[in-house]
Each structure stands twice: as C-alpha cells, then as structure tokens.
Amino acid sequence: MTDPDYRSLNDCLVLHLRKAARRMTQTLDHALEPLDLTATQFAILGHLCWARDRGKSWSVQRLAEALAMDASSLTRALQPLARRGLMAFVADPADKRVKQPQATEAGRALFVSGCAIWTEAHSALVASLGSEPAAALLGLLKQAVAPPD
C-alpha cells in the first residue's frame, strides 16, 4: 500500500477556501453578536431588505440560489429570523399557496443598524489582507461563483 499524497492537501483550493471562510465568518459572527445575528442571518436579512426596498420579493428557491444555499437549509435559517419578527412569510400575489420570505420593518431597522458594525468588521478583514490583495481575492471569488456561460 502506498502513502497518499498528503502534501496535495496543502495546495487544495477548497480546503483553504473553507478554512478562510470559517475564519472570516467567525470574525463577522463575533462582530454581529450585539445584534444577536450570525453573518449568515445578516446576509439573508440583507437580501430580503434589498428586495423589500425595491418592491420585489424572493421565492425561497430563488433566495437560496442567490445565497448559494439549498432551499431546506435556507428555510431552517429563516426560522430564527421569523421567530424574532425580523421577517415573515407572505403569500405570493400570483399564487396565494406559495409563501415568500419578506423582511419586516423591524428586520429592516436591525439590518440598517447592523450595516455600520458589518462595515467596520469587513474593513478590518480587508485591512488584514491589504486592499489590493483583498480586491483581487474578491474578483476571484466572484468569478468562482459566477454561473456558467
């Protein structure tokens, strides 16, 4: 039996991307603790507020796609926001049987107040990398998650 190439893990894009994502998420989670929100909840609330401010709405499936989540994970993530009154499920005007997640006034207010906290934490992450490497990383990440042509 031959030894596996353990060194290949040191160059694994996915491994390092996941490690970086966990570290950065921990930083944002910690910053958002005063609001009792996680980074994921903040991102979800941000998407819902964006739609609300534009008179639009998301289906759970479409929101899940935008967040690169599966619909069942998103539905579970929405529950704490709904319990806190930060979002609600409302009937789709075209099909009353379909419920769409929508930010409430309280959810929008909390998101707006959280933006300053998020901006400060995000700026610290950018500063830790340097602005040019952070911009390059952002470009690569956007390229990596872009839909195929």
Side-chain angles (χ1 to χ4, degrees):
M1 179 189 254
T2 61
D3 280 343
D5 183 9
Y6 293 111
R7 288 175 297 159
S8 66
L9 286 175
N10 195 44
D11 296 328
C12 178
L13 294 171
V14 174
L15 174 66
H16 289 288
L17 181 60
R18 291 181 59 87
K19 285 171 62 175
R22 282 192 291 273
R23 290 244 170 96
M24 290 182 176
T25 299
Q26 288 169 351
T27 298
L28 291 171
D29 283 347
H30 179 69
L32 293 166
E33 279 177 357
L35 302 178
D36 194 26
L37 287 175
T38 66
T40 299
Q41 290 169 333
F42 187 76
I44 291 168
L45 201 52
H47 278 72
L48 294 175
C49 289
W50 178 90
R52 181 179 192 260
D53 287 352
R54 286 156 183 76
K56 299 179 183 288
S57 60
W58 299 89
S59 68
V60 170
Q61 186 61 44
R62 180 67 187 103
L63 181 58
E65 289 168 7
L67 292 164
M69 296 175 76
D70 62 83
S72 62
S73 295
L74 174 61
T75 299
R76 283 190 305 277
L78 289 169
Q79 296 310 314
L81 298 174
R83 281 193 298 273
R84 290 180 61 191
L86 302 175
M87 59 81 48
F89 289 98
V90 298
D92 180 341
D95 184 348
K96 302 287 184 210
R97 298 169 298 169
V98 176
K99 303 295 182 201
Q100 297 177 322
Q102 203 167 73
T104 62
E105 195 60 45
R108 188 180 186 287
L110 187 64
F111 176 75
V112 168
S113 69
C115 283
I117 294 169
W118 180 88
T119 298
E120 185 177 332
H122 187 263
S123 294
L125 289 171
V126 169
S128 73
L129 292 172
S131 60
E132 286 184 28
L137 177 59
L138 180 60
L140 289 170
L141 293 171
K142 285 182 176 182
Q143 180 182 340
V145 299
D149 291 334

